[in-house]
Amino acid sequence: MVWTIVIANIVIVAVSLLFINHIASLTTIRGNLLIPFILLLAFIGAYTSNHHIGDLIVVLLFGGFGYFMVRFGWPRPPFILGFVLGELAETYLYVSTTRYGAAWLLRPKVIIIFCLAVAVALYPFIQKKRLMRRYTKR
Amino acid sequence: MKTPVGKAVMDCFVIAMAGGAMLTALRWPFKTALFPAAIAIPVFLMAVLDLVWNVLGKEKKDREGSTGDFKLTEGLDPAVEIRRTISMFTWILAFFLTILLVGFPVAIPLFFVLFLKLQGKEGWKTSIGLAAVAWLSFYGLFVWLLNISFVEGWILRMFLH
């Protein structure tokens, strides 16, 4: 199974490299010609996940929400990451809490990962502050 | 539309969503409420913080140039911007309603021809050609090759059954 994925990835990379110029030229196509195809793929992709028309309504609602997120400066990558990783996070949070209660929060590896996460989240702000301080000194 | 008021409305929407999720989750048993509350409480607090920053006028200064995320075209006349946005939302909604009424196999060529002709101002050849390509790709890949069944649509179902 793992090797199937590995081989599939190698084949895809090879094919992509072969057609990279043609793929790149997609960006020069007028928006009006691309929009219907993108809409079609979005709707079909949503429909084929459960074969239910309700999924198309979800696409419409989240499409609208995504638009307003872009409009008002809310970053979407964290939202998408949350959606993708949410199920895993819920499962393991439940397992950890059931097994250790709140004590899992005090385990060394958890504390290290938590500190790293906080550092990564705060890094852009700290960097900006440092740059601003350096700029004002000059 | 990109005003502090608009941003505040967005903040209020997220606060209401997260607050609603939080209140609902807190009524559930502890283990069931754990994850929803673990997500909703920080989202609620961060949205409140964002709203406060907005009100204090710090938000814009902090975010300028800080993100590599997709951005909308800037410097457009607001009237043109609103007209284009409404137009695109209408097309998307129209495509969805067409799928609902007549099903994918009829909605796809219909939407392609109408969109390319009316919105894209393309010629008949391009419109019909691309509609044919889209329909053949859809039918060939999803119906014929993958054997996926698509909904018939309300109108077709009414006539066929």
Side-chain angles (χ1 to χ4, degrees):
Chain A
M1 181 65 186
V2 174
W3 284 107
T4 317
I5 296 168
V6 170
I7 292 166
N9 273 298
I10 292 168
V11 171
I12 289 293
V13 168
V15 170
S16 298
L17 285 173
L18 204 65
F19 293 105
I20 199 152
N21 286 334
H22 299 286
I23 295 169
S25 64
L26 277 174
T27 53
T28 60
I29 296 174
R30 287 198 308 279
N32 280 331
L33 298 178
L34 279 179
I35 288 167
F37 283 99
I38 292 167
L39 274 180
L40 176 63
L41 289 175
F43 275 121
I44 288 182
Y47 180 80
T48 49
S49 61
N50 289 315
H51 300 95
H52 198 278
I53 213 85
D55 288 322
L56 301 187
I57 298 170
V58 174
V59 166
L60 289 178
L61 291 177
F62 277 90
F65 188 60
Y67 170 78
F68 285 110
M69 285 183 85
V70 175
R71 199 83 191 78
F72 299 123
W74 281 70
R76 291 158 305 146
F79 188 78
I80 295 163
L81 271 177
F83 245 88
V84 174
L85 300 177
E87 204 179 325
L88 276 174
E90 183 169 14
T91 306
Y92 289 107
L93 179 68
Y94 184 80
V95 169
S96 307
T97 313
T98 309
R99 177 71 181 80
Y100 299 105
W104 67 269
L105 286 166
L106 300 172
R107 293 177 80 85
K109 283 177 187 172
V110 174
I111 293 171
I112 291 168
I113 292 171
F114 184 74
C115 289
L116 282 174
V118 171
V120 168
L122 289 179
Y123 182 72
F125 298 101
I126 295 165
Q127 195 188 25
K128 192 179 283 178
K129 287 268 181 204
R130 274 171 55 193
L131 283 172
M132 275 174 70
R133 206 175 297 152
R134 200 178 296 168
Y135 185 76
T136 46
K137 269 183 187 175
R138 283 178 189 176
Chain B
M1 228 172 130
K2 196 174 183 176
T3 58
V5 179
K7 283 190 168 191
V9 171
M10 181 73 180
D11 281 333
C12 290
F13 175 73
V14 177
I15 288 170
M17 293 288 286
M22 203 166 70
L23 290 176
T24 311
L26 292 178
R27 283 198 292 265
W28 292 340
F30 174 73
K31 279 180 181 171
T32 318
L34 185 65
F35 190 71
I39 298 296
I41 293 169
V43 170
F44 180 81
L45 292 175
M46 284 190 282
V48 169
L49 196 69
D50 199 61
L51 182 66
V52 172
W53 279 15
N54 260 333
V55 172
L56 294 176
K58 288 183 175 178
E59 188 67 8
K60 198 182 170 193
K61 203 163 59 183
D62 284 344
R63 279 197 179 150
E64 267 177 2
S66 63
T67 175
D69 199 4
F70 169 81
K71 279 181 183 170
L72 297 170
T73 314
E74 286 174 358
L76 267 180
D77 178 24
V80 176
E81 209 175 318
I82 292 171
R83 202 177 59 236
R84 282 186 187 172
T85 307
I86 293 172
S87 158
M88 275 321 299
F89 270 100
T90 312
W91 276 109
I92 294 169
L93 205 62
F95 187 32
F96 167 70
L97 289 174
T98 321
I99 291 168
L100 211 63
L101 292 174
V102 292
F104 273 98
V106 181
I108 290 168
L110 199 65
F111 172 73
F112 265 71
V113 170
L114 289 176
F115 183 88
L116 292 168
K117 195 72 201 139
L118 302 176
Q119 178 71 27
K121 306 267 186 281
E122 300 292 336
W124 281 110
K125 272 185 189 172
T126 314
S127 306
I128 294 171
L130 284 176
V133 169
W135 190 85
L136 285 172
S137 312
F138 157 76
Y139 194 84
L141 183 65
F142 293 100
V143 180
W144 184 65
L145 213 60
L146 296 173
N147 213 13
I148 294 171
S149 60
F150 287 88
V151 282
E152 282 168 338
W154 293 348
I155 291 176
L156 286 183
R157 205 180 300 158
M158 220 159 56
F159 282 108
L160 292 173
H161 304 292

